[in-house]
Amino acid sequence: DGGITQSPKYLFRKEGQNVTLSCEQNLNHDAMYWYRQDPGQGLRLIYYSQIVNDFQKGDIAEGYSVSREKKESFPLTVTSAQKNPTAFYLCASRPSSGPYEQYFGPGTRLTVT
Amino acid sequence: GESVGLHLPTLSVQEGDNSIINCAYSNSASDYFIWYKQESGKGPQFIIDIRSNMDKRQGQRVTVLLNKTVKHLSLQIAATQPGDSAVYFCAETRDDKIIFGKGTRLHILP
């Protein structure tokens, strides 16, 4: 089946630890995105990448880092510098041309205590 | 600042009635608008989109209306069903990014 996978679905970490969230897609999409969603809120863009080995900051990039070494993978690291890391993290991808429709993964709920 | 927003955070609709979810946007340069549906604990799903050179587009049980004069977007769901219960987001494209509004929760009354 084609799609986007995120793992794990739930993640728990202690404050001060870095944590990396996985995002993989087999849709052959060029562009990939990371969003953060807080309870009762919309999606806020953290980072996005339109091509391998290139990425841009979104609206709330502070305290996060990404890499795009492969077309299929766009991992997000939540660093200890992120003041409020507990949230629902969503990864998305879309083709570089054509409709702007994004395909979303199932999300990872990160809880930091 | 420029933003995409929604008029109501929660909408309650009787099962079988039509639902209308509204969205206001402020960036007149946006050329593409999208509606997403998000069920609890899941990622958003694409519902329907519309380009700025259109004022109406229909899908299966859904219609999106775009009024560029007042920068208003709406999603109409016909014959609302229990499975339509979710949060609905409008989004606009801007510089290869997709900017989401805060969302409206649609609650279906039995």
Side-chain angles (χ1 to χ4, degrees), chain B:
Chain B
E2 294 180 332
S3 64
V4 177
L6 296 172
H7 295 300
L8 296 172
T10 304
L11 177 66
S12 295
V13 175
Q14 205 76 37
E15 183 179 346
D17 287 353
N18 296 339
S19 301
I20 301 176
I21 301 171
N22 296 306
C23 177
Y25 67 93
S26 57
N27 186 354
S28 57
S30 295
D31 63 356
Y32 193 78
F33 301 89
I34 311 161
W35 280 101
Y36 285 90
K37 173 186 180 182
Q38 186 178 26
E39 296 175 320
S40 182
K42 297 183 180 178
Q45 288 178 291
F46 172 89
I47 301 173
I48 193 168
D49 57 15
I50 189 168
R51 289 202 173 275
S52 61
N53 61 355
M54 302 169 68
D55 53 19
K56 182 179 179 179
R57 190 165 186 219
Q58 287 185 297
Q60 187 178 13
R61 271 202 316 120
V62 295
T63 301
V64 56
L65 299 177
L66 176 63
N67 185 332
K68 292 183 286 296
T69 303
V70 295
K71 297 178 188 170
H72 184 268
L73 189 69
S74 69
L75 176 71
Q76 299 179 0
I77 304 173
T80 310
Q81 303 168 357
D84 295 328
S85 181
V87 177
Y88 291 81
F89 293 96
C90 65
E92 62 176 324
T93 61
R94 191 185 308 165
D95 300 329
D96 285 328
K97 294 186 289 187
I98 298 179
I99 308 299
F100 286 80
K102 287 189 171 58
T104 292
R105 181 175 299 281
L106 180 61
H107 178 59
I108 313 304
L109 301 169

Side-chain angles (χ1 to χ4, degrees), chain A residues 33-36 43-46 89-90 102 104, chain B residues 98 100:
Chain A
Y33 304 78
W34 273 106
Y35 293 90
R36 170 188 172 131
L43 281 66
R44 291 186 290 169
L45 183 63
I46 305 172
Y89 290 89
L90 287 156
Q102 285 182 320
F104 281 86
Chain B
I98 298 179
F100 286 80

Side-chain angles (χ1 to χ4, degrees), chain A residues 4-99:
Chain A
I4 301 177
T5 57
Q6 291 184 245
S7 60
K9 190 167 177 62
Y10 298 96
L11 192 54
F12 298 88
R13 279 293 184 271
K14 294 290 187 186
E15 194 174 328
Q17 293 179 331
N18 291 354
V19 59
T20 297
L21 280 59
S22 164
C23 178
E24 304 279 330
Q25 54 98 1
N26 60 5
L27 301 166
N28 200 33
H29 286 169
D30 293 305
M32 296 186 74
Y33 304 78
W34 273 106
Y35 293 90
R36 170 188 172 131
Q37 187 175 32
D38 294 287
Q41 299 293 317
L43 281 66
R44 291 186 290 169
L45 183 63
I46 305 172
Y47 268 99
Y48 64 107
S49 167
Q50 294 176 297
I51 197 169
V52 173
N53 292 323
D54 188 43
F55 47 83
Q56 289 79 40
K57 291 182 179 180
D59 300 318
I60 55 164
E62 186 176 349
Y64 299 98
S65 65
V66 293
S67 63
R68 188 84 188 276
E69 296 175 4
K70 298 187 296 182
K71 188 175 186 178
E72 307 79 36
S73 179
F74 190 40
L76 173 75
T77 297
V78 184
T79 74
S80 56
Q82 167 51 234
K83 293 188 173 70
N84 297 298
T86 294
F88 188 47
Y89 290 89
L90 287 156
C91 180
S93 71
R94 72 170 186 89
S96 58
S97 61

